[in-house]
Amino acid sequence: MSRPLRTPQDLIEAGLAAPERRAELEAVAERYTLAIPPAMAELIDPDDPNDPIARQFVPSGAELETTLEERADPIGDLSHSPVEGIVHRYPDRVLLKAVHVCPVYCRFCFRREMIGPQGLGTLSPEALARALGYIAEHEEIWEVILTGGDPLVLSARRLAELIAPLGAIGHVQVVRIHSRVPVVEPERIDAELISALKASGRSTYVAVHANHPRELTAAARAACARLADSGIVLLGQSVLLKGVNDDPDTLAQLLRAMVETRIKPYYLHHPDLAPGTSHFRLSIEEGRKLVAGLRGRISGLCQPTYILDIPGGHGKASIGPSALVPRGDGCFTVTDFNGQEHVYPPAGTESA
Ligand code: SF4
């Protein structure tokens, strides 16, 4: 396989969908963009109807069912956008969304109404200049997060045009790039692209999106090694998805695979209320149970923060289970990794 699969016909010819599904696939592809690059298409087991890679990338008729609570802009980007391309939700950081295309289109994407060829497009040079002007004028902005879409679909030259000016803005100290590319198109991570990711004198972080341990192939691990060897810090972000990673073994393998690859697991997102994605959502109680189970099972290095983006643009909230519950008498009940409860501070502590 040498090119991305972009149409239902491509999927059928590649053996990743039965011909009887053509009408269903076409109806979905008309509404939401489809692309599966070779590295991901080759990972799919066509004989497994529940393949977790296929579930993430091959369209399903369930995407045409929008539930009452779902919304086109689930995390409220648009209501926090002071100029085109910027989302300014928290005081010390902004999102810079220069591009709205991706190398792969995740069927659960939280920005699915904004991305793809019919989406918000790529910032024009004038709009980019206005966005950089906004960052320069706001001295409270310490971190700029490049997202989209996937910024790493841009050429090294375009990325340099975007990132190098950030190095000239004194108050911007950190540049963070959110991307699927190291996993889904690892061959793109070459020396020229890596060099373009670094703003002079600034720290660069790349948040790598992966949801299943199989995504961290040898090629993906090698791409991440190239980034890490260059001094870029790697963070992991994953979405907790029904039928993909909602079991303790898969989650543990994913998080361990990240740490082995020098990716520090950062966020485990509860799925957002994007249209046509209810088949991916588990309940928060189910999510908390899974996350609680990770605590004693895998190293602290592997533990992500379980996060909910509050609908409406109110930011992220940590929703993981708490080990500490107030008892009402000034003490707490604290639960250890075996599920046993203890009182803190312990009664009757002897003084020396
Ligand atoms: S890579 Fe990110 S922005 Fe692109 S489709 Fe997947 S979740 Fe959405």
Side-chain angles (χ1 to χ4, degrees), residues 55-329:
R55 187 162 165 79
Q56 292 183 70
F57 305 132
V58 175
S60 151
E63 294 173 53
L64 299 174
E65 294 157 25
T66 300
T67 62
L68 280 177
E69 71 274 18
E70 291 177 342
R71 48 197 69 198
D73 181 18
I75 70 166
D77 280 354
L78 299 177
S79 55
H80 289 82
S81 181
V83 296
E84 188 186 352
I86 294 283
V87 177
H88 197 171
R89 200 183 328 264
Y90 305 96
D92 72 338
R93 53 205 184 273
V94 290
L95 304 185
L96 173 55
K97 300 200 293 179
V99 64
H100 286 88
V101 293
C102 298
V104 69
Y105 288 93
C106 311
R107 309 321 303 172
F108 50 86
C109 174
F110 64 127
R111 294 200 177 111
R112 59 189 337 208
E113 301 280 359
M114 303 175 196
I115 57 166
Q118 280 88 43
L120 298 183
T122 300
L123 283 190
S124 65
E126 297 75 26
L128 177 59
R130 282 193 295 277
L132 292 171
Y134 179 90
I135 295 169
E137 282 162 19
H138 287 76
E139 293 188 3
E140 71 276 21
I141 298 172
W142 170 82
E143 180 183 20
V144 175
I145 301 164
L146 270 64
T147 179
D150 195 320
L152 296 194
V153 298
L154 293 170
S155 67
R157 180 182 62 77
R158 300 275 310 278
L159 278 167
E161 285 168 6
L162 195 60
I163 293 173
L166 297 173
I169 301 175
H171 49 269
V172 173
Q173 291 297 315
V174 174
V175 177
R176 189 191 337 158
I177 299 145
H178 282 229
S179 181
R180 269 272 206 195
V181 166
V183 166
V184 304
E185 282 190 340
E187 65 282 0
R188 284 186 61 78
I189 307 296
D190 59 16
E192 200 187 354
L193 186 130
I194 290 172
S195 152
L197 300 185
K198 296 181 180 174
S200 172
R202 306 297 184 260
S203 299
T204 302
Y205 287 69
V206 171
V208 179
H209 175 179
N211 303 316
H212 192 276
R214 268 170 45 209
E215 291 171 51
L216 290 161
T217 59
R221 289 176 189 236
C224 290
R226 292 194 288 279
L227 288 163
D229 287 347
S230 81
I232 291 173
V233 182
L234 301 179
L235 304 171
Q237 61 166 357
S238 308
V239 188
L240 191 52
L241 296 166
K242 196 186 269 186
V244 175
N245 56 18
D246 62 332
D247 71 89
D249 287 343
T250 305
L251 259 190
Q253 285 170 28
L254 168 68
L255 296 163
R256 278 187 169 159
M258 283 183 164
V259 171
E260 289 162 13
T261 310
R262 286 185 277 169
I263 302 171
K264 168 70 188 92
Y266 177 46
Y267 280 156
L268 178 64
H269 292 268
H270 191 75
D272 293 310
L273 296 172
T277 61
S278 62
H279 53 299
F280 284 111
R281 281 197 298 280
L282 60 173
S283 71
I284 285 182
E285 270 320 304
E286 289 168 318
R288 288 169 68 119
K289 205 169 153 202
L290 279 165
V291 171
L294 292 174
R295 195 176 290 136
R297 187 183 168 108
I298 50 174
S299 157
L301 267 182
C302 302
Q303 307 285 339
T305 303
Y306 183 31
I307 281 290
L308 176 73
D309 254 296
I310 304 170
H314 304 289
K316 291 180 172 58
S318 169
I319 58 169
S322 172
L324 200 65
V325 178
R327 286 164 34 116
D329 59 356

